[in-house]
Amino acid sequence: MKILIVYTHPNPASFNHAILEAVESTLKGSGHDIRVKDLYQTGFKNVLDGGDFTQIMGGTIPDDIKEEHEDILWAEGLVFIYPVWWIDRPAQLKGWIDRTMLQGFAFDYSPEGMPTGLLKHQKAMVITTTGGPEEFYDQAQMKDMIRRPMCDGTLGFCGIQDVAYKAFFAVPHVTDDVRKGMLEEAKELTRTTFAG
Ligand SMILES: Cc1cc2nc3c(=O)[nH]c(=O)nc-3n(C[C@H](O)[C@H](O)[C@H](O)COP(=O)(O)O)c2cc1C
């Protein structure tokens, strides 16, 4: 399968980078054709601004967005790897979504005003990490707040219903052994999500 990995973390020594390496090597080992988009390395402009609106409303897609669209359309599967920042995606990733997942490209509305997803990817996988422990998220009833915006609000809305999701909790506070176990889990999820 052709798989686009969208990776968002500014620190190459981060645990998220270790997840990226684990996922990338697993996908390559299974024979998939992959492209990695490192959103801090590419420095993709992360603000949908007035200039973008003027161009898009005038029927022109800005060139940097067109390049992203080519990669998104090339892929049959999508992978997102990012840390939870303020109970959401880092602004760099959120801005990538704001600017690329445009009406007419990623979704549209029916004449009755109902949204319809336009993306045809077979599968997506989302792996995220938190600083807070799972018990905190359970007690505060906030677990779904970190899953749904990406899995349902973005990917589901754009037509991708088959989304594998994993949150690794309390990453900075657990032992190295636990983190190693998390990387093994990430590999296993990658294998099962993109098997066959
Ligand atoms: C700007 C910022 C905001 C953060 N917000 C949250 C948050 O809302 N919830 C949480 O559990 N952890 C939060 N964290 C902690 C990170 O999620 C955690 O350090 C990260 O997932 C660990 O992975 P890493 O080593 O790859 O960065 C935040 C960290 C930063 C830098």
Side-chain angles (χ1 to χ4, degrees):
M1 197 186 285
K2 290 187 267 183
I3 299 169
L4 178 67
I5 304 177
V6 181
Y7 166 73
T8 316
H9 201 296
N11 179 4
S14 65
F15 186 67
N16 271 260
H17 199 274
I19 295 174
L20 169 66
E21 288 168 28
V23 169
E24 199 179 342
S25 64
T26 304
L27 290 173
K28 279 185 180 158
S30 305
H32 295 292
D33 192 0
I34 65 168
R35 288 184 188 173
V36 178
K37 196 168 283 298
D38 178 334
L39 294 184
Y40 282 99
Q41 217 169 55
T42 64
F44 184 73
K45 184 183 124 190
N46 67 9
V47 177
L48 178 65
D49 61 16
D52 289 333
F53 266 99
T54 307
Q55 278 195 63
I56 292 165
M57 307 277 279
T60 308
I61 306 290
D63 286 345
D64 63 340
I65 298 178
K66 268 192 214 151
E67 284 174 26
E68 301 304 300
H69 283 178
E70 280 170 21
D71 281 332
I72 294 167
L73 292 177
W74 166 84
E76 297 158 315
L78 297 176
V79 173
F80 293 88
I81 301 168
Y82 58 91
V84 169
W85 283 4
W86 292 111
I87 313 296
D88 207 331
R89 295 146 284 187
Q92 186 69 19
L93 174 57
K94 179 61 168 51
W96 183 84
I97 292 166
D98 289 346
R99 295 189 69 235
T100 60
M101 298 300 176
L102 300 176
Q103 184 176 352
F105 173 79
F107 71 94
D108 223 328
Y109 293 103
S110 72
E112 297 76 36
M114 284 300 280
T116 317
L118 298 180
L119 296 186
K120 305 289 178 220
H121 302 79
Q122 295 168 34
K123 286 176 182 199
M125 180 175 81
V126 173
I127 300 183
T128 191
T129 63
T130 76
E134 189 163 9
E135 305 80 73
F136 162 77
Y137 281 92
D138 282 333
Q139 281 168 21
Q141 298 184 339
M142 279 165 52
K143 235 178 187 171
D144 254 8
M145 287 175 64
I146 57 173
R147 183 187 65 82
R148 296 203 61 195
M150 187 63 185
C151 294
D152 299 337
T154 299
L155 297 173
F157 187 85
C158 293
I160 309 175
Q161 306 303 338
D162 190 351
V163 182
Y165 169 82
K166 181 70 194 174
F168 292 115
F169 292 95
V171 158
H173 312 292
V174 296
T175 63
D176 274 350
D177 276 352
V178 172
R179 274 191 291 270
K180 277 182 195 150
M182 290 173 174
L183 293 178
E184 290 309 311
E185 263 192 79
K187 288 180 191 171
E188 186 54 28
L189 183 68
T190 304
R191 269 190 290 271
T192 53
T193 302
F194 295 104

